[in-house]
Amino acid sequence: MSAIVVVFLCSLHNNISNIYCIRGDASNFAIWENINFMVIGCIGGLIGAVFNAANENLTLWRMKRVNFSKKRRVVEVVLVSILVSTVSFVMPLLWNRCTDKPTDMQDWSNQEINLVDALVQFQCEDGQYNEVASLVFTDADTAIKQLFHFREVGIDDTSTFSSAALFLFFIPYISLATIVYGIAVPSGLFVPSLLSGAAFGRLCGHLLHKLDHTSGTFADSGTYALMGAAAVLGGMARMTISLTVILLEATGDMQYVLPLMLTLMCARFTGNVFNEGLYDIHIKLKGIPFLEPEVPSIAEKYEIVASQVMSSDVKCLRPIERAGVVYDLLRSCSHGTFPIVDSDSTGTLYGTATRDMLCTLLQRKAYGSPNILNAEDEAGLSLGPKRVSPLVQWDTLERVYPRYPTVDDVDMRSADRNCLLDLRPYANTAPYTINETASIQRSYRLFRTLGLRTLCVVNHTNQVVGIITRKDLLPDALSDSLLRGRNAHSENNNIGEFT
Amino acid sequence: MMSSLLSSNNITSIDFRNDREKRDFVACGAAAGVASAFGAPIGGVLFSLEEGASYWSTELTLRCFFCASVTITTLYGLKNLDNAWGQANMEKLFSFGEFNSLS
């Protein structure tokens, strides 16, 4: 918010120091037009929100119906390519109007003359061009330049690309972009949204120019096209700082800092009212447990402690463990980290062992003979100073990163099942722990700032009572555990009443 | 050119010593990709700062910046091979062209 205030103060200051002017060394736009740009930003944010919602639903459908088989994915790609080619061929045919190329180009710059050469003739006579075909059949970056730079000539200021042509281009193009993003080809989001946004912005420029023919009240449509491109891309990806700088570097013109900032900010705010950015949506859809920078609002609203969200069904190991037990444990679950607890003192935390490490140890058969312990040790597998299995060096363990052996690579013979695996040299004896009474905000920040995957929950005597993973801290899981806690509470109450 | 963004994001088969290095490498790759695709090195660094990385350190800023500058140097070199590395032709990089003030 303060940034906006500062920006406004700056613009106010400018307004006083050089009262708005469009001539000479002054900017391409008047300062009050920033309000127009902000409105464009808001509309762009709306367009982006619609795009995101449509793409989210489409991706959900795709995950259910297409993505499970490779054959279907290929078929989808083929079908979508046919659809895109058909639409992009039919659109110019539908337009079916030929426009004369501008001829009076005495005072035009080289750039503009080159752009005129890039116009596509399609089915028109020499010296004429099809407006929609020129946008569809050129490179995307040339089309963007055309939208940014063609000056308005002719009676109604809109001769190079007419409003109807822009509209006919914008709607199908952005719909196609929605469908294409997410199919099994590496496709981009930046250039299509810049192009459709540029068409949208130029359309806005044209409409404004229709209000006022005298030319000079409003900035040229190219400037509006730039703002439209920024607005639509900003509305989809919800980027502000980086997009401002990227667009600024691509434009190479410092005068657009202020309008770009305002436009992108408005696009972001408007879009965030409805949904999240496209990248965040796709992170969520992929099921990646990504923790947002800020603590979920549900954790702020209710008082949740670590013991409510943790899973209390902890699979623990002892410092010296039978190889068969370890193997069965790895087979039975897919956890990544296992707490090691002292067996003689009722579950005091000794350290943690990772799955990758256990698999490597088992694969290398780093276990000692089953008879090495004395009879009294045998009962509790208690800790003696002597090492009971051969040592594998750290180098050997980590050399295979990141392709650690999985449990399927382990070849466990029944004769070895009784052998002893000494985990003491390998255990992480100083794991991150949290007390069961700690607030959820605290454990969230631990996860977020330290980049943890798992966190052992201990009670005041350092006994393991549960384990928290990243998935337990996602907003949905938090509300689930809150609900579960409430149900358990009410059930307990009921029992109390009946007995 | 956009493919460079994707490819640099996907080079994960090289041996890294740990997850952190892999993460940093991907962040640098994203910065380099945007830098080459849009000719915007600073924008690339800010892109991976804003969108890509969850854990950002000053050291990573420097790495990304270095990566983006190497990328942009290579891009200039490759695109200007024909004029024997004389004065760079700005038209050849991705740009939105020159906005001239209309009177």
Side-chain angles (χ1 to χ4, degrees):
Chain A
M1 278 312 282
S2 66
I4 294 183
V5 174
V6 170
V7 165
F8 267 113
L9 285 180
C10 286
S11 71
L12 254 180
H13 174 72
N14 286 350
N15 213 344
I16 296 159
S17 59
N18 59 349
I19 299 164
Y20 62 92
C21 39
I22 321 178
R23 275 161 228 289
D25 288 327
S27 60
N28 279 356
F29 53 90
I31 286 156
W32 60 267
E33 283 195 280
N34 282 325
I35 297 164
N36 291 354
F37 297 148
M38 285 166 73
V39 172
I40 287 184
C42 292
I43 303 173
L46 278 178
I47 295 173
V50 171
F51 182 96
N52 288 1
N55 193 269
E56 185 179 4
N57 288 323
L58 202 65
T59 314
L60 279 173
W61 177 84
R62 203 169 266 151
M63 283 160 74
K64 229 183 280 168
R65 294 290 165 82
V66 183
N67 280 3
F68 56 84
S69 86
K70 279 184 183 166
K71 219 183 277 170
R72 285 197 176 199
R73 300 193 85 175
V74 174
V75 170
E76 187 195 24
V77 171
V78 172
L79 287 180
V80 170
S81 332
I82 292 172
L83 175 72
V84 171
S85 338
T86 320
V87 171
S88 49
F89 197 76
V90 167
M91 280 194 303
L93 281 180
L94 275 181
W95 179 243
N96 199 20
R97 194 203 297 173
C98 293
T99 319
D100 290 326
K101 279 189 182 177
T103 42
D104 179 28
M105 301 194 290
Q106 307 272 294
D107 55 340
W108 287 37
S109 66
N110 281 340
Q111 175 181 264
E112 284 166 315
I113 292 167
N114 289 342
L115 286 176
V116 168
D117 288 341
L119 290 171
V120 176
Q121 196 174 339
F122 203 54
Q123 291 179 323
C124 296
E125 319 237 320
D126 284 347
Q128 292 187 316
Y129 68 99
N130 185 317
E131 295 180 14
V132 177
S134 302
L135 289 173
V136 175
F137 291 128
T138 44
D139 294 342
D141 55 335
T142 318
I144 291 176
K145 275 190 210 165
Q146 287 175 342
L147 288 171
F148 282 177
H149 298 302
F150 271 135
R151 60 177 71 186
E152 292 105 357
V153 288
I155 311 152
D156 55 351
D157 287 346
T158 57
S159 71
T160 1
F161 291 115
S162 62
S163 307
L166 289 172
F167 190 73
L168 187 62
F169 172 71
F170 169 67
I171 297 291
Y173 195 82
I174 199 162
S175 320
L176 285 179
T178 320
I179 297 170
V180 168
Y181 189 72
I183 63 169
V185 289
S187 63
L189 180 67
F190 266 66
V191 173
S193 38
L194 280 178
L195 181 50
S196 48
F200 158 72
R202 201 172 170 95
L203 191 62
C204 291
H206 281 180
L207 295 181
L208 286 175
H209 279 270
K210 283 226 165 69
L211 292 178
D212 174 54
H213 278 299
T214 50
S215 146
T217 320
F218 295 106
D220 67 314
S221 303
T223 305
Y224 277 97
L226 177 65
M227 295 312 143
V232 170
L233 183 50
M236 278 176 203
R238 310 286 156 78
M239 299 188 289
T240 45
I241 315 166
S242 53
L243 208 50
T244 311
V245 177
I246 288 171
L247 292 177
L248 214 58
E249 280 181 291
T251 333
D253 203 338
M254 276 305 285
Q255 59 169 315
Y256 291 115
V257 182
L258 177 66
L260 278 177
M261 279 167 77
L262 289 173
T263 312
L264 286 166
M265 208 100 76
C266 287
R268 188 194 164 97
F269 284 150
T270 317
N272 276 356
V273 172
F274 300 101
N275 49 24
E276 289 176 304
L278 196 59
Y279 298 135
D280 293 303
I281 287 176
H282 277 261
I283 286 176
K284 244 180 217 150
L285 287 180
K286 280 209 132 191
I288 297 167
F290 179 77
L291 299 182
E292 295 290 334
E294 57 287 326
V295 183
S297 55
I298 185 162
E300 301 280 6
K301 222 182 289 171
Y302 302 98
E303 283 178 16
I304 313 177
V305 292
S307 61
Q308 280 172 287
V309 297
M310 71 186 185
S311 41
S312 45
D313 177 28
V314 191
K315 304 275 194 295
C316 290
L317 289 169
R318 289 172 296 179
I320 299 172
E321 192 64 272
R322 301 274 175 210
V325 175
V326 178
Y327 181 76
D328 291 341
L329 182 65
L330 291 176
R331 273 265 173 235
S332 68
C333 64
S334 59
H335 299 178
T337 312
F338 301 95
I340 302 175
V341 295
D342 284 339
S343 43
D344 49 351
S345 59
T346 60
T348 310
L349 183 66
Y350 178 82
T352 56
T354 62
R355 183 185 193 85
D356 302 328
M357 188 197 78
L358 291 173
C359 287
T360 320
L361 289 177
L362 287 182
Q363 193 205 20
R364 300 191 154 266
K365 303 200 184 306
Y367 28 77
S369 110
N371 308 320
I372 207 162
L373 293 182
N374 306 329
E376 61 265 29
D377 289 344
E378 188 69 31
L381 289 174
S382 68
L383 307 170
K386 63 184 168 196
R387 193 169 286 151
V388 296
S389 60
L391 188 68
V392 177
Q393 295 295 326
W394 178 252
D395 264 9
T396 328
L397 282 174
E398 284 298 307
R399 194 188 295 148
V400 287
Y401 177 89
R403 277 171 288 278
Y404 293 108
T406 61
V407 70
D408 296 322
D409 299 329
V410 179
D411 153 45
M412 174 64 62
R413 286 171 303 178
S414 53
D416 290 341
R417 294 190 73 90
N418 244 347
C419 292
L420 288 171
L421 182 60
D422 190 350
L423 294 174
R424 285 172 297 166
Y426 315 111
N428 172 15
T429 50
Y432 289 108
T433 57
I434 196 164
N435 200 284
E436 60 178 339
T437 55
S439 69
I440 205 68
Q441 282 96 329
R442 192 165 201 181
S443 31
Y444 194 93
R445 292 210 184 94
L446 262 180
F447 264 91
R448 174 75 200 166
T449 47
L450 293 171
L452 301 179
R453 287 184 168 176
T454 49
L455 184 61
C456 296
V457 185
V458 295
N459 62 10
H460 63 282
T461 53
N462 209 24
Q463 287 164 326
V464 180
V465 290
I467 202 156
I468 299 182
T469 60
R470 284 194 157 231
K471 287 206 170 106
D472 296 328
L473 291 178
L474 296 178
D476 291 348
L478 281 183
S479 55
D480 271 1
S481 61
L482 202 66
L483 209 65
R484 215 167 46 229
R486 260 194 209 145
N487 289 343
H489 191 66
S490 60
E491 268 168 31
N492 287 345
N493 281 352
N494 288 344
I495 292 165
E497 281 164 21
F498 282 124
T499 47
Chain B
M1 278 200 286
M2 275 310 282
S3 65
S4 61
L5 173 77
L6 295 153
S7 63
S8 55
N9 262 325
N10 285 334
I11 309 173
T12 43
S13 58
I14 307 171
D15 277 345
F16 298 106
R17 285 200 305 284
N18 54 43
D19 286 347
R20 194 190 144 200
E21 304 232 322
K22 193 195 273 177
R23 229 169 32 223
D24 287 5
F25 195 84
V26 173
C28 291
V34 173
S36 72
F38 293 99
I42 310 293
V45 174
L46 288 174
F47 173 77
S48 51
L49 167 83
E50 193 179 6
E51 285 296 314
S54 337
Y55 311 102
W56 194 264
S57 60
T58 24
E59 197 193 350
L60 187 53
T61 323
L62 184 66
R63 285 181 183 182
C64 279
F65 182 71
F66 175 75
C67 212
S69 60
V70 169
T71 311
I72 207 84
T73 316
T74 319
L75 197 66
Y76 264 78
L78 286 178
K79 293 254 169 172
N80 289 297
L81 274 179
D82 51 347
N83 63 0
W85 294 355
Q87 290 196 318
N89 187 351
M90 299 307 288
E91 287 285 299
K92 285 179 181 164
L93 297 182
F94 181 91
S95 94
F96 290 153
E98 201 173 308
F99 280 82
N100 40 0
S101 299
L102 298 173
S103 54

